[in-house]
Amino acid sequence: MNNKYYPKVLIIGQTFNKYTGGGITMTNLFTGWPDDRIALASATNILADLDTSICSNLFQLGYNGKLHPFPLNIILPVITTGKLTCAANGKSERLLPVQEPGKYRRIYKVIINILHFLGLFNVFYKLKITPEFRDWINEFKPDIIYTQLSTLELIRFVDALHEEAHIPVAIHMMDDWPMTIDRPGIMHRYWKKVNDSEFRTLVKKSSVLMSICDAMSDEYEKRYGRKFVAFHNTIDIDKWIPVSKTDWSVKGPFRILYAGRLGVGVINSVIDIIDAVNDPQLEDCDLVFELQTADIGLLKGKAVLNERVKSVGTIDYADLPIRFAGADMLVLPHDFDYESINFLRYSFSTKITEYMISGTPVLVYADSSTSLTKYASKGEWAYIVDKRDKQSIIDAFRELYSNMSLREKFGCKAREIAIEREDSRIVREEFRKHLICEKVKKEI
């Protein structure tokens, strides 16, 4: 068998992008994959953020030719489904009508929340294998299905496709959504039981099982009785190392940076950090906490921006290496309440490897039971505050602010581990080999 054989991969669900954890991870893992050996089908609005740099063979899934099922398609925008084709230069010919991204986001969110509360979401949203999709599959002839499952709808669709076409399935878990997959509502217990049962059934049928980190793999082997191999976000060493931090002295204000989303599992800890930065105990320290997020509005009424706490807006993914290396400290916060800990216990943010390779010292503010804290503790690559306590954050800031050798120690150690474990050239090769499962080998 040719060592550089690339199986034909059909991706179901997650799209390629540079702003979500699943999208970034998938983009970095599949970079360099031959374009004629990869295809993607999704029920999300692909055209809202079309990226053909990794994959140009695209199919918009939906219901009876539209993105949303009846009667929701009466209220929501009419986006037809089907095959999307791209020009030779990689740009989409946009054969399908394009809607302004986010235009109907609010009304869609309200409708979906109502459907979940009433227990009707899984009644309305049921993807089916249409003749057009079947023809597209038969034309592509995939060797394996790769999916980052996140809904019962996707579980059922992938299972149906596997049963009909006998295509091996590779599941890649981004977080522990089976424990939080169904939102509270009048049929919560029923749907939670159904989700768990049908997910376990698909796990038993799958040929390849992947997780986002070692802690998740260990837990899932106990929970589901099968081995999961960890693959998380990779790092293009050649892009990050040239701008990685080599000077840990402070020039001007001591810049603390948080980059990423706010919201569930994060926002309360970010507010804790804001409170610590503004505490009188740190008045003698020239600190500035910068928030690089599109969700800054969520802090309204909960925290105040001032000369020490600033919103710096979002930037292109390609500019992150310079932004991260230019900070004096980076923070990785997780909330400490029971629900947040359960939701994030086995998560592994794409920022972790990007923070580490930057050479900038990292402060981890998260419960000791999370995979993030365990990974940082085992590798000794970050300053850790593992309890919700403002004074502990203040002490951490003061120590890192005043101790350049400590900043250098953490920065160098983190970068060393990232180079050793997260080099995209090594990880992508292992990922490619892993997708050549036994069933695929028999067809080669």
Side-chain angles (χ1 to χ4, degrees):
M1 184 183 71
N2 188 336
N3 289 333
K4 280 297 181 181
Y5 177 82
Y6 286 85
K8 280 191 170 184
V9 181
L10 169 62
I11 298 170
I12 302 289
Q14 176 64 56
T15 59
F16 292 101
N17 63 63
K18 289 293 187 179
Y19 61 88
T20 66
I24 292 171
T25 298
M26 198 168 77
T27 297
N28 289 335
L29 286 173
F30 278 102
T31 292
W33 208 274
D35 185 68
D36 63 340
R37 304 194 72 78
I38 189 170
L40 184 149
S42 179
T44 62
N45 185 0
I46 298 176
L47 287 174
D49 186 39
L50 189 62
D51 181 357
T52 60
S53 62
I54 306 296
C55 174
S56 60
N57 191 0
L58 307 167
F59 193 97
Q60 178 69 69
L61 295 171
Y63 314 84
N64 297 320
K66 298 181 180 180
L67 182 63
H68 299 283
F70 178 85
L72 283 81
N73 56 30
I74 298 175
I75 306 170
L76 296 170
V78 179
I79 300 174
T80 56
T81 62
K83 179 180 178 180
L84 282 71
T85 60
C86 298
N89 59 6
K91 294 183 179 180
S92 169
E93 295 178 351
R94 298 187 179 275
L95 298 183
L96 305 183
V98 182
Q99 293 291 335
E100 180 185 345
K103 183 178 180 181
Y104 295 87
R105 189 173 299 166
R106 289 185 180 180
I107 188 172
Y108 175 73
K109 185 176 181 180
V110 170
I111 293 173
I112 294 304
N113 286 338
I114 293 174
L115 290 178
H116 275 293
F117 179 77
L118 296 176
L120 297 176
F121 179 87
N122 295 317
V123 175
F124 282 98
Y125 281 84
K126 288 183 178 180
L127 284 170
K128 295 182 179 179
I129 301 173
T130 63
E132 185 180 5
F133 180 72
R134 190 177 287 111
D135 291 342
W136 184 70
I137 292 293
N138 291 335
E139 180 182 351
F140 180 61
K141 296 181 175 59
D143 296 312
I144 192 166
I145 296 168
Y146 169 93
T147 181
Q148 295 179 11
L149 297 175
S150 58
T151 63
L152 178 60
E153 178 185 38
L154 277 181
I155 293 173
R156 289 174 167 174
F157 184 72
V158 171
D159 185 55
L161 184 58
H162 169 70
E163 289 298 316
E164 177 180 305
H166 307 292
I167 306 170
V169 174
I171 296 175
H172 196 174
M173 302 297 290
M174 292 292 103
D175 52 45
D176 196 20
W177 56 259
M179 293 293 98
T180 58
I181 189 172
D182 192 56
R183 308 178 194 183
I186 59 179
M187 298 182 67
H188 170 73
R189 291 185 178 180
Y190 170 77
W191 285 120
K192 191 172 182 65
K193 183 178 180 180
V194 172
N195 285 325
D196 181 68
S197 175
E198 298 198 25
F199 176 67
R200 287 178 182 273
T201 298
L202 186 56
V203 166
K204 290 179 182 179
K205 297 178 181 180
S206 297
S207 300
V208 177
L209 297 169
M210 295 176 282
S211 73
I212 197 64
C213 64
D214 292 334
M216 179 183 281
S217 291
D218 294 340
E219 169 62 21
Y220 278 20
E221 185 170 1
K222 297 175 185 176
R223 188 188 300 175
Y224 302 112
R226 293 198 59 192
K227 184 177 180 180
F228 285 70
V229 177
F231 284 97
H232 49 251
N233 189 31
T234 66
I235 290 295
D236 188 333
I237 301 296
D238 294 336
K239 291 182 179 179
W240 285 82
I241 286 297
V243 296
S244 179
K245 187 181 288 294
T246 56
D247 180 5
W248 289 266
S249 62
V250 179
K251 300 175 180 64
F254 188 83
R255 295 174 52 230
I256 303 167
L257 176 67
Y258 170 71
R261 70 172 183 86
L262 299 177
V264 178
V266 176
I267 192 167
N268 291 324
S269 289
V270 170
I271 292 172
D272 289 346
I273 293 171
I274 292 173
D275 290 343
V277 170
N278 284 325
D279 193 277
Q281 295 181 64
L282 292 175
E283 283 184 351
D284 60 322
C285 299
D286 189 10
L287 305 178
V288 175
F289 182 31
E290 298 180 341
L291 293 158
Q292 180 183 306
T293 178
D295 304 323
I296 197 68
L298 295 178
L299 291 175
K300 187 176 181 180
K302 299 177 181 179
V304 178
L305 303 185
N306 53 36
E307 68 278 1
R308 289 171 72 92
V309 180
K310 302 178 179 180
S311 172
V312 294
T314 59
I315 62 174
D316 290 339
Y317 186 80
D319 296 326
L320 287 184
I322 294 177
R323 172 66 66 83
F324 288 174
D328 295 298
M329 188 200 314
L330 301 167
V331 291
L332 280 169
H334 283 180
D335 286 353
F336 289 80
D337 60 281
Y338 178 79
E339 291 184 358
S340 294
I341 290 174
N342 278 344
F343 180 64
L344 296 172
R345 190 186 303 275
Y346 304 113
S347 294
F348 197 92
S349 170
T350 56
K351 292 191 298 290
I352 295 175
T353 51
E354 294 163 356
Y355 274 18
M356 292 174 71
I357 195 66
S358 72
T360 300
V362 177
L363 170 68
V364 169
Y365 181 46
D367 187 82
S368 59
S369 66
T370 63
S371 58
L372 165 61
T373 305
K374 290 179 179 178
Y375 185 52
S377 177
K378 182 179 180 180
E380 298 181 333
W381 54 263
Y383 192 113
I384 300 171
V385 175
D386 60 7
K387 60 181 179 180
R388 190 176 187 186
D389 178 56
K390 186 171 76 169
Q391 187 58 51
S392 296
I393 304 175
I394 291 172
D395 294 341
F397 283 169
R398 183 171 291 280
E399 185 170 4
L400 287 166
Y401 175 81
S402 61
N403 192 334
M404 187 180 78
S405 62
L406 184 63
R407 297 196 298 271
E408 182 176 356
K409 172 189 171 184
F410 283 132
C412 289
K413 183 64 174 179
R415 182 170 54 205
E416 175 187 328
I417 294 174
I419 292 173
E420 179 182 340
R421 294 196 56 180
E422 321 301 347
D423 187 339
S424 60
R425 288 167 293 192
I426 298 173
V427 177
R428 284 173 191 155
E429 180 62 10
E430 291 302 312
F431 181 71
R432 180 189 68 83
K433 291 178 180 178
H434 205 62
L435 288 182
I436 307 175
C437 63
E438 291 303 317
K439 290 184 179 180
V440 173
K441 290 179 182 177
K442 293 178 182 179
E443 301 298 324
I444 299 175

